[in-house]
Amino acid sequence: MSNEDYLKDISEIKNLMNKSSRFISLSGLTGILAGIYALIGAAVTYYFVTTYSYGTLLLDGWVFKTIVFILFMVAFLSIVTGIYLTTKKAKKNGEKIWDTSSRRLIFNFLIPLVVGGLYILIILSQGRYGQTGGLMLIFYGLALINASKYSIGNIKYLGYCEVILGLLATLYPGYGFWIWVVGFGFMHIIYGTYMHFKYDVK
């Protein structure tokens, strides 16, 4: 066998190892739609805050409870969309949706996300919600970075962007809402579009 044959075999073995250890059926459309959901949610939130609470939120007020509901709906729709599109892509590629790599991906993604969610709930219960947007971006970014080793590696760069935006949101709390919009809205759309044309379109 020539050196080219050996290199080809090594490359094929490497690809097989990557496929067995990484979950590669994530859909770029998931990111695009998640970004759209976030932008719609942000627009509705902005309307409620500026129209009914004059820019000031009260934790026991109905506007705040409505905003929390909107956030949950954005997260819920994003998760449902992600599961549907990922399952559809996995079936199309003849891959398993629930295997060792997908379990590792979800587990490593949820660890920072759950911890961050609990921490945010704690500070909200203490009446401190000024840093909420920044903290959401930071913990979400850490979750993406932590899960990236079990998925397509490019997802870690989205995680880095989210962490940086989260730090900026905590540094400039007056712009926290708009930075949140950039992080969860536009960054998802940009990243999802990149992933869609790189991995989904053949």
Coordinates of all heavy atoms in Angstrom, one line a residue, residues 41-96:
G41 N -40.4 37.1 21.0 CA -40.5 37.2 22.5 C -40.0 38.6 23.0 O -40.6 39.2 23.9
A42 N -38.9 39.0 22.5 CA -38.3 40.3 23.0 C -39.2 41.4 22.5 O -39.4 42.4 23.3 CB -36.9 40.4 22.4
A43 N -39.8 41.4 21.3 CA -40.6 42.4 20.9 C -41.9 42.5 21.7 O -42.3 43.7 22.1 CB -41.0 42.2 19.4
V44 N -42.5 41.4 22.1 CA -43.7 41.4 22.9 C -43.3 41.9 24.3 O -44.1 42.7 24.9 CB -44.3 40.0 23.0 CG1 -45.5 39.9 23.9 CG2 -44.7 39.5 21.6
T45 N -42.2 41.5 24.8 CA -41.7 41.9 26.2 C -41.5 43.4 26.2 O -42.0 44.1 27.1 CB -40.4 41.2 26.5 OG1 -40.7 39.8 26.7 CG2 -39.9 41.7 27.9
Y46 N -40.9 43.9 25.2 CA -40.6 45.4 25.1 C -41.9 46.2 25.1 O -42.1 47.2 25.7 CB -39.8 45.7 23.9 CG -39.4 47.1 23.7 CD1 -38.3 47.6 24.5 CD2 -40.1 48.0 22.9 CE1 -37.9 49.0 24.4 CE2 -39.7 49.3 22.8 CZ -38.6 49.8 23.5 OH -38.3 51.1 23.4
Y47 N -42.9 45.6 24.4 CA -44.2 46.3 24.3 C -44.9 46.3 25.7 O -45.4 47.4 26.1 CB -45.1 45.6 23.3 CG -46.5 46.0 23.3 CD1 -46.9 47.2 22.7 CD2 -47.5 45.3 24.0 CE1 -48.2 47.7 22.7 CE2 -48.8 45.7 24.0 CZ -49.2 46.9 23.4 OH -50.5 47.3 23.5
F48 N -44.9 45.2 26.4 CA -45.5 45.2 27.7 C -44.8 46.1 28.7 O -45.5 46.8 29.4 CB -45.5 43.7 28.2 CG -46.7 42.9 27.7 CD1 -46.5 42.0 26.8 CD2 -48.0 43.1 28.3 CE1 -47.6 41.2 26.3 CE2 -49.1 42.4 27.8 CZ -48.9 41.4 26.8
V49 N -43.5 46.1 28.7 CA -42.8 46.9 29.7 C -42.9 48.3 29.4 O -43.2 49.1 30.4 CB -41.2 46.5 29.6 CG1 -40.4 47.4 30.5 CG2 -41.0 45.1 30.1
T50 N -42.8 48.8 28.2 CA -42.9 50.2 27.9 C -44.4 50.7 27.9 O -44.6 51.9 28.2 CB -42.4 50.5 26.4 OG1 -43.0 49.7 25.5 CG2 -40.9 50.2 26.4
T51 N -45.4 49.8 27.7 CA -46.7 50.3 27.7 C -47.4 50.2 29.0 O -48.2 51.1 29.4 CB -47.6 49.4 26.7 OG1 -47.0 49.4 25.4 CG2 -49.0 49.9 26.6
Y52 N -47.1 49.2 29.8 CA -47.9 48.9 31.0 C -47.1 49.2 32.3 O -47.7 49.3 33.4 CB -48.5 47.5 31.0 CG -49.5 47.3 29.9 CD1 -49.1 46.5 28.8 CD2 -50.7 47.8 30.0 CE1 -50.0 46.3 27.8 CE2 -51.6 47.6 29.0 CZ -51.3 46.9 27.9 OH -52.2 46.7 26.8
S53 N -45.8 49.1 32.3 CA -45.0 49.3 33.5 C -44.1 50.5 33.4 O -43.3 50.7 34.3 CB -44.2 48.1 33.9 OG -43.3 47.8 32.9
Y54 N -44.1 51.2 32.3 CA -43.3 52.4 32.1 C -41.8 52.2 32.4 O -41.1 53.0 33.0 CB -43.8 53.5 33.0 CG -45.3 53.8 32.9 CD1 -46.2 53.3 33.8 CD2 -45.8 54.5 31.8 CE1 -47.6 53.5 33.7 CE2 -47.1 54.7 31.6 CZ -48.0 54.2 32.6 OH -49.4 54.4 32.4
G55 N -41.3 51.0 32.0 CA -39.9 50.7 32.0 C -39.4 50.2 33.4 O -38.3 49.9 33.6
T56 N -40.4 50.0 34.3 CA -40.0 49.5 35.7 C -40.8 48.2 35.9 O -42.0 48.2 35.9 CB -40.3 50.5 36.8 OG1 -39.6 51.8 36.5 CG2 -39.9 50.0 38.1
L57 N -40.0 47.2 36.3 CA -40.7 45.9 36.6 C -40.8 45.7 38.1 O -39.9 46.0 38.9 CB -39.9 44.7 36.0 CG -40.0 44.5 34.5 CD1 -39.1 43.4 34.0 CD2 -41.4 44.2 34.1
L58 N -42.0 45.1 38.5 CA -42.2 44.7 39.8 C -42.3 43.2 39.8 O -43.0 42.6 39.0 CB -43.5 45.3 40.4 CG -43.5 46.8 40.5 CD1 -44.8 47.3 41.0 CD2 -42.4 47.3 41.5
L59 N -41.6 42.5 40.8 CA -41.5 41.1 40.7 C -42.9 40.4 41.0 O -43.2 39.3 40.6 CB -40.5 40.5 41.8 CG -39.1 40.8 41.5 CD1 -38.2 40.3 42.6 CD2 -38.7 40.1 40.1
D60 N -43.8 41.1 41.7 CA -45.1 40.6 42.0 C -46.1 41.1 41.0 O -47.3 40.9 41.2 CB -45.5 40.9 43.5 CG -45.5 42.4 43.8 OD1 -45.0 43.1 42.9 OD2 -46.0 42.7 44.9
G61 N -45.7 41.9 40.0 CA -46.7 42.5 39.1 C -47.0 41.5 38.0 O -46.3 40.6 37.7
W62 N -48.1 41.8 37.3 CA -48.6 40.9 36.3 C -47.7 41.0 35.0 O -47.6 40.0 34.2 CB -50.1 41.2 35.9 CG -50.3 42.5 35.2 CD1 -50.5 43.7 35.8 CD2 -50.3 42.7 33.8 NE1 -50.7 44.6 34.8 CE2 -50.6 44.1 33.6 CE3 -50.1 41.9 32.7 CZ2 -50.6 44.6 32.3 CZ3 -50.2 42.4 31.4 CH2 -50.4 43.8 31.2
V63 N -47.1 42.1 34.8 CA -46.2 42.3 33.6 C -45.0 41.4 33.8 O -44.6 40.7 32.8 CB -45.8 43.8 33.5 CG1 -44.8 43.9 32.4 CG2 -47.0 44.7 33.2
F64 N -44.4 41.4 35.0 CA -43.3 40.5 35.2 C -43.6 39.0 35.0 O -42.9 38.3 34.3 CB -42.7 40.7 36.6 CG -41.5 39.8 36.9 CD1 -40.3 40.1 36.4 CD2 -41.7 38.7 37.6 CE1 -39.2 39.3 36.7 CE2 -40.6 37.8 37.9 CZ -39.4 38.2 37.5
K65 N -44.8 38.6 35.5 CA -45.2 37.2 35.3 C -45.5 36.9 33.9 O -45.2 35.8 33.4 CB -46.5 37.0 36.2 CG -46.2 37.1 37.7 CD -47.5 36.9 38.5 CE -47.3 37.1 39.9 NZ -48.5 37.0 40.7
T66 N -46.0 37.9 33.1 CA -46.2 37.7 31.7 C -44.9 37.5 31.0 O -44.7 36.7 30.1 CB -47.0 38.9 31.1 OG1 -48.2 39.1 31.8 CG2 -47.2 38.7 29.6
I67 N -43.9 38.3 31.4 CA -42.6 38.2 30.7 C -41.9 36.9 31.0 O -41.3 36.2 30.1 CB -41.7 39.4 31.2 CG1 -42.2 40.7 30.7 CG2 -40.2 39.1 30.8 CD1 -41.5 41.9 31.2
V68 N -42.1 36.4 32.2 CA -41.5 35.1 32.6 C -42.2 34.0 31.7 O -41.6 33.1 31.2 CB -41.7 34.8 34.1 CG1 -41.4 33.3 34.4 CG2 -40.9 35.7 34.9
F69 N -43.5 34.1 31.6 CA -44.3 33.2 30.7 C -43.8 33.2 29.3 O -43.6 32.2 28.6 CB -45.8 33.5 30.7 CG -46.6 32.7 29.8 CD1 -46.9 31.4 30.1 CD2 -47.1 33.2 28.6 CE1 -47.6 30.6 29.2 CE2 -47.8 32.5 27.7 CZ -48.1 31.1 28.0
I70 N -43.5 34.4 28.8 CA -43.0 34.6 27.4 C -41.6 33.9 27.3 O -41.3 33.2 26.3 CB -42.8 36.1 27.0 CG1 -44.2 36.7 26.9 CG2 -42.1 36.2 25.7 CD1 -44.2 38.2 26.8
L71 N -40.7 34.1 28.3 CA -39.4 33.4 28.3 C -39.6 31.9 28.2 O -38.9 31.2 27.5 CB -38.6 33.8 29.5 CG -38.1 35.2 29.5 CD1 -37.4 35.6 30.8 CD2 -37.1 35.4 28.3
F72 N -40.5 31.4 29.0 CA -40.7 29.9 29.0 C -41.2 29.4 27.7 O -40.9 28.4 27.2 CB -41.7 29.5 30.1 CG -41.0 29.3 31.5 CD1 -41.2 30.2 32.5 CD2 -40.2 28.2 31.7 CE1 -40.6 30.0 33.8 CE2 -39.6 28.0 32.9 CZ -39.8 28.9 34.0
M73 N -42.1 30.2 27.1 CA -42.6 29.9 25.8 C -41.6 29.9 24.7 O -41.5 29.0 23.8 CB -43.8 30.8 25.4 CG -45.1 30.6 26.1 SD -45.7 28.9 26.0 CE -45.9 28.7 24.2
V74 N -40.7 30.8 24.7 CA -39.5 30.9 23.8 C -38.7 29.7 24.0 O -38.3 29.0 23.0 CB -38.7 32.2 24.0 CG1 -37.4 32.1 23.2 CG2 -39.5 33.4 23.6
A75 N -38.4 29.3 25.2 CA -37.5 28.1 25.5 C -38.2 26.9 25.1 O -37.7 26.0 24.4 CB -37.2 28.1 27.0
F76 N -39.5 26.8 25.4 CA -40.3 25.6 25.0 C -40.4 25.4 23.5 O -40.2 24.3 23.0 CB -41.7 25.7 25.6 CG -42.7 24.6 25.2 CD1 -42.6 23.3 25.8 CD2 -43.6 24.8 24.2 CE1 -43.4 22.3 25.4 CE2 -44.5 23.8 23.9 CZ -44.4 22.5 24.5
L77 N -40.7 26.4 22.8 CA -40.8 26.3 21.3 C -39.4 26.0 20.7 O -39.4 25.2 19.8 CB -41.3 27.6 20.7 CG -42.8 28.0 21.0 CD1 -43.1 29.4 20.5 CD2 -43.7 26.9 20.3
S78 N -38.4 26.5 21.3 CA -37.0 26.3 20.8 C -36.7 24.8 21.0 O -36.1 24.1 20.1 CB -36.0 27.2 21.5 OG -36.3 28.5 21.2
I79 N -37.0 24.3 22.2 CA -36.7 22.9 22.5 C -37.5 21.9 21.6 O -37.0 21.0 21.0 CB -37.0 22.6 24.0 CG1 -36.0 23.3 24.8 CG2 -36.9 21.1 24.2 CD1 -36.3 23.3 26.3
V80 N -38.8 22.2 21.5 CA -39.7 21.3 20.6 C -39.2 21.4 19.2 O -39.1 20.3 18.5 CB -41.2 21.8 20.7 CG1 -42.0 21.0 19.7 CG2 -41.7 21.5 22.1
T81 N -38.9 22.6 18.7 CA -38.4 22.7 17.3 C -37.1 21.9 17.1 O -36.9 21.2 16.1 CB -38.2 24.2 16.9 OG1 -39.5 24.9 17.1 CG2 -37.8 24.3 15.5
G82 N -36.2 22.1 18.1 CA -34.9 21.4 18.0 C -35.1 19.9 18.0 O -34.4 19.2 17.2
I83 N -36.0 19.3 18.8 CA -36.2 17.9 18.9 C -36.8 17.4 17.6 O -36.3 16.4 17.0 CB -37.1 17.5 20.1 CG1 -36.4 17.8 21.4 CG2 -37.5 16.1 20.0 CD1 -37.3 17.6 22.6
Y84 N -37.7 18.1 17.0 CA -38.4 17.7 15.8 C -37.4 17.7 14.6 O -37.3 16.7 13.9 CB -39.6 18.6 15.5 CG -40.2 18.4 14.1 CD1 -41.0 17.3 13.9 CD2 -40.0 19.3 13.1 CE1 -41.5 17.1 12.6 CE2 -40.5 19.1 11.8 CZ -41.3 18.0 11.6 OH -41.8 17.8 10.4
L85 N -36.7 18.9 14.4 CA -35.8 19.0 13.3 C -34.6 18.1 13.4 O -34.2 17.5 12.4 CB -35.4 20.4 13.1 CG -36.4 21.4 12.7 CD1 -35.9 22.8 12.7 CD2 -37.0 21.1 11.4
T86 N -34.1 17.9 14.6 CA -33.0 17.0 14.8 C -33.4 15.5 14.5 O -32.6 14.8 13.9 CB -32.4 17.1 16.2 OG1 -32.0 18.5 16.4 CG2 -31.2 16.2 16.4
T87 N -34.5 15.2 15.0 CA -35.0 13.8 14.8 C -35.2 13.6 13.3 O -34.9 12.5 12.8 CB -36.4 13.6 15.5 OG1 -36.2 13.8 16.9 CG2 -36.9 12.2 15.3
K88 N -35.8 14.6 12.6 CA -36.0 14.4 11.2 C -34.7 14.3 10.4 O -34.6 13.5 9.5 CB -36.8 15.7 10.7 CG -37.2 15.7 9.2 CD -37.9 16.9 8.9 CE -38.3 16.9 7.4 NZ -39.1 18.2 7.0
K89 N -33.7 15.1 10.8 CA -32.4 15.0 10.1 C -31.7 13.7 10.4 O -31.1 13.1 9.5 CB -31.5 16.2 10.6 CG -30.2 16.2 9.9 CD -29.3 17.4 10.4 CE -28.0 17.4 9.7 NZ -27.1 18.5 10.1
A90 N -31.8 13.2 11.7 CA -31.2 11.9 12.0 C -31.8 10.8 11.2 O -31.1 9.9 10.8 CB -31.3 11.7 13.5
K91 N -33.1 10.8 11.1 CA -33.8 9.7 10.3 C -33.3 9.8 8.8 O -33.1 8.8 8.2 CB -35.3 9.9 10.4 CG -35.8 9.5 11.8 CD -37.3 9.6 11.9 CE -37.9 9.2 13.2 NZ -39.3 9.3 13.3
K92 N -33.2 11.0 8.3 CA -32.8 11.2 6.9 C -31.4 10.7 6.7 O -31.1 10.1 5.7 CB -32.9 12.7 6.6 CG -32.5 13.0 5.1 CD -32.6 14.5 4.9 CE -32.2 14.8 3.4 NZ -32.2 16.2 3.2
N93 N -30.5 10.8 7.7 CA -29.1 10.4 7.6 C -28.9 9.0 8.0 O -27.8 8.4 8.0 CB -28.2 11.3 8.4 CG -28.2 12.7 7.8 OD1 -28.5 13.0 6.7 ND2 -27.9 13.7 8.7
G94 N -30.0 8.3 8.5 CA -29.9 6.9 9.0 C -29.2 6.8 10.3 O -28.5 5.8 10.5
E95 N -29.3 7.8 11.1 CA -28.6 7.8 12.4 C -29.6 7.7 13.6 O -30.8 8.0 13.4 CB -27.8 9.1 12.6 CG -26.7 9.3 11.5 CD -26.1 10.7 11.5 OE1 -26.6 11.6 12.3 OE2 -25.2 11.0 10.8
K96 N -29.1 7.3 14.7 CA -29.9 7.1 15.9 C -30.0 8.5 16.6 O -29.0 9.2 16.7 CB -29.3 6.1 16.9 CG -29.3 4.7 16.3 CD -28.8 3.7 17.4 CE -28.8 2.3 16.9 NZ -28.2 1.3 17.9

